[in-house]
């Protein structure tokens, strides 16, 4: 059974930092690409960042470039998202995802809430 479990969300003031983690198990743990997406109330899901299993080919959404950093520990089957200089517009539910390619994410976590106050 494939499973992704996120942790690390919470409430932070603007300008602060949070670190999200995602633990993969089962078939999700062998996925070639892992990434983060987010969805704010009333908005469509937005791509945040992705990383290949080997750690190379990292991509970021335009709205988070320079502020967020994605990393992956394949030995521990985890992917992390370090979020710095947070803004109120970063408020959303953040989802971990995994799949064979950037265009195909087969597995999704349940999401973790990130709230940035102004």
């Amino acid at each position: 059974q494939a499973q992704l479990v996120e942790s690390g969300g919470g409430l932070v003031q603007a300008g602060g930092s949070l670190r999200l983690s995602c633990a993969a198990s089962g078939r999700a743990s062998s996925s070639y690409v892992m990434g983060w997406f987010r969805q704010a109330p009333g908005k469509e899901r937005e791509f945040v960042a992705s990383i290949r299993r080997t750690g190379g080919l990292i991509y970021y959404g335009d709205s988070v470039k320079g502020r967020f950093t994605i990393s992956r520990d394949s030995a521990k089957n985890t992917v992390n998202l370090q979020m710095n200089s947070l803004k109120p517009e970063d408020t959303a539910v953040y989802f971990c995802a995994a799949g064979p390619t950037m265009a195909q994410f087969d597995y999704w976590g349940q999401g973790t809430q990130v709230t940035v106050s102004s």
Side-chain angles (χ1 to χ4, degrees):
Q1 183 177 1
Q3 190 174 20
L4 297 171
V5 179
E6 303 98 335
S7 61
L11 174 64
V12 65
Q13 289 188 334
S17 299
L18 279 176
R19 182 178 177 87
L20 305 183
S21 292
C22 174
S25 61
R27 297 173 69 177
S29 63
S30 61
S31 296
Y32 192 60
V33 179
M34 294 189 73
W36 290 92
F37 291 77
R38 67 186 183 185
Q39 187 165 21
K43 295 187 177 181
E44 294 187 352
R45 186 171 61 196
E46 176 188 13
F47 169 77
V48 175
S50 67
I51 185 170
R52 286 197 315 188
R53 183 178 181 84
T54 57
L57 276 186
I58 293 174
Y59 295 101
Y60 293 100
D62 288 340
S63 61
V64 306
K65 284 180 181 177
R67 301 187 298 121
F68 290 11
T69 303
I70 190 172
S71 60
R72 183 170 182 173
D73 186 335
S74 295
K76 296 182 179 180
N77 295 323
T78 59
V79 62
N80 302 304
L81 185 69
Q82 178 65 42
M83 306 185 294
N84 298 329
S85 302
L86 284 161
K87 305 175 182 179
E89 50 264 44
D90 293 318
T91 295
V93 177
Y94 284 70
F95 297 91
C96 177
T101 71
M102 276 288 295
Q104 183 179 348
F105 286 92
D106 295 330
Y107 308 108
W108 294 83
Q110 81 287 353
T112 185
Q113 177 71 46
V114 171
T115 303
V116 184
S117 63
S118 57

